[in-house]
Amino acid sequence: MQLGMIGLGKMGNFMAQRLRHAGHAVTGFDPSAGARQKMVDAGGKAVDSLDKLVAALQAPRAVWMMVPAGKIVDATVESLADRLAKGDVVIDGGNSNYKDDQRHAAQLAARGIDFVDCGTSGGVWGLKEGYSMMVGGDAEVVDRLKPIFEALAPGKDKGWGRVGPAGSGHFVKMVHNGIEYGMMQAYAEGFSIMKHKTGFKLDMAQIAEIWRYGSVVRSWLLDLTADTLKRNPEMQDIAPYVVDSGEGRWTVAEAIDLDVPAPVITASLIERLRSRDTDSFADKLLSAMRNEFGGHAMRPE
C-alpha cells in the first residue's frame, strides 16, 4: 500500500521504516532538510513540499501526519484540504486533542475527504516492538487502511483496533496517557521511599530486577525503570523537572466534565507541575504563616 508521511521526526521515521520493511511504499515530507535526509539515509524517499508529496501518491491517497498537536496540525489539515481530492484520507497519528479531531473530520468531510485519528503508543521502541494504535474513524475507511495498521502493530491481530468514530482514537489515547502518569508516579514514589531508608542500604536496580519477574507490579514500564537504574542509580545530571505533553491535563479536565473522580491521575499531574516550581512562593508563604501564628522557625535562603 502507498502512503504519504508528514513529519519525519524520530517516531515518524521509525514508522516509515517499519512500513517499508512490510513492503509498503512511503514518501515523506518535512520542512526540515535534516529530517528529510534522515529519511533518505534510512532507505526511504522524501520530498520538500506538500505539493510534491500529493503528486507522488496515487489516488485514493492516504496521508499520515506525525506533527505537533494544535496550531501545526490545524495548518497542516488546512493545507491538505486544499490539495487532496474526494476519496482521499488524512490520518492524524500524533497526540491531538479529540475535540480537534472532530472538527478536522467535519472540515474534511465537507470536501469529501475522510479523516482517521490514530492514538499511537510505543515511542522509540515501536520500530522493533511495534506500535499500539487506538483508531477512530469510519469503519469502512479504517478497514481500507488495515494493511497499514497491521504493519505498524506488534502483530496483525493484536495491539491495534478501531475503537469508534472520529475522535475516539485520541480520546482513548488521552486516557491511556493519564493512566501512564499515575503508574509512573507510583513507581517513582515507591523507589523514593526505599531510597530514603538509608539504614537498609537498598540497591534500587536489584529491587527493580527482582520485581520484573513474578511480581504483581511487573510491567514494560518497570523493565525500562530497571534499565535506567542500572545505568544511573543516583540519577546524576538529571534535573528534578518533569514535563508533560498535555494528555494528562486533558484527561483530568474530561474527568471533571464527566463527574468522574480521578484522584490518582490528578495528583500525578499536579506533581509534575510542582516539579517545575524551583522557587515556590506557596511554600515560602506556608512557612511565613506558620511563623505568624505559632512563632515556628523559618529557614532562610
Side-chain angles (χ1 to χ4, degrees):
M1 189 171 184
Q2 193 179 32
L3 183 74
M5 177 77 73
I6 300 176
L8 303 178
K10 184 175 290 186
M11 194 163 169
N13 253 309
F14 282 172
M15 296 178 84
Q17 288 182 50
R18 191 171 175 90
L19 287 165
R20 288 198 304 274
H21 292 164
H24 298 286
V26 182
T27 301
F29 163 70
D30 194 288
S32 166
R36 295 195 301 271
Q37 188 59 50
K38 287 180 180 178
M39 177 88 161
V40 173
D41 291 343
K45 178 183 178 182
V47 294
D48 59 8
S49 72
L50 278 181
D51 288 327
K52 290 180 181 179
L53 179 68
V54 172
L57 302 175
Q58 295 178 348
R61 304 171 188 85
V63 179
W64 187 299
M65 300 188 303
M66 289 298 293
V67 299
K71 293 181 179 179
I72 297 179
V73 171
D74 287 345
T76 304
V77 169
E78 185 68 39
S79 295
L80 288 172
D82 292 335
R83 290 168 171 80
L84 297 179
K86 185 176 181 179
D88 293 343
V89 58
V90 174
I91 309 152
D92 185 352
N95 281 324
S96 291
N97 187 296
Y98 80 94
K99 295 178 181 178
D100 289 342
D101 292 327
Q102 293 173 323
R103 177 166 51 83
H104 293 149
Q107 176 185 356
L108 292 173
R111 304 196 183 199
I113 303 169
D114 294 307
F115 177 85
V116 169
D117 58 291
C118 180
T120 310
S121 181
V124 296
W125 292 88
L127 176 59
K128 177 183 177 182
E129 305 289 342
Y131 296 92
S132 173
M133 292 169 291
M134 299 132 265
V135 185
D138 181 82
E140 291 185 5
V141 177
V142 173
D143 189 62
R144 191 171 81 235
L145 297 169
K146 190 175 180 180
I148 296 294
F149 298 124
E150 288 178 340
L152 290 170
K156 286 188 175 182
D157 59 350
K158 62 182 180 181
W160 80 277
R162 176 185 178 269
V163 297
S168 64
H170 279 144
F171 180 85
V172 174
K173 176 58 161 52
M174 174 190 76
V175 177
H176 163 283
N177 281 26
I179 293 171
E180 178 186 291
Y181 277 38
M183 292 174 65
M184 292 173 68
Q185 187 66 32
Y187 278 129
E189 291 177 6
F191 279 100
S192 181
I193 292 168
M194 292 187 289
K195 184 69 174 175
H196 282 79
K197 190 66 173 177
T198 55
F200 284 158
K201 298 181 180 179
L202 300 173
D203 184 332
M204 299 298 104
Q206 179 204 24
I207 293 166
E209 196 64 28
I210 292 171
W211 285 358
R212 289 182 61 205
Y213 303 97
S215 166
V216 73
V217 299
R218 65 187 184 274
S219 70
W220 182 54
L221 183 56
L222 181 61
D223 294 343
L224 299 177
T225 302
D227 287 342
T228 195
L229 285 169
K230 287 178 187 175
R231 294 194 309 270
N232 191 356
E234 300 300 325
M235 299 292 106
Q236 293 179 345
D237 300 320
I238 299 176
Y241 184 106
V242 187
V243 301
D244 74 282
S245 54
E247 295 90 345
R249 299 177 186 228
W250 300 341
T251 304
V252 171
E254 196 68 29
I256 293 170
D257 288 345
L258 295 171
D259 291 332
V260 175
V264 173
I265 294 174
T266 303
S268 65
L269 171 63
I270 298 304
E271 183 58 29
R272 291 195 181 198
L273 300 181
R274 182 172 175 79
S275 76
R276 303 166 202 175
D277 194 356
T278 57
D279 187 30
S280 174
F281 179 82
D283 289 345
K284 291 179 179 180
L285 184 56
L286 284 170
S287 182
M289 284 189 283
R290 289 184 75 249
N291 177 261
E292 287 294 323
F293 70 70
H296 302 290
M298 292 186 294
R299 291 188 181 182
E301 287 189 311

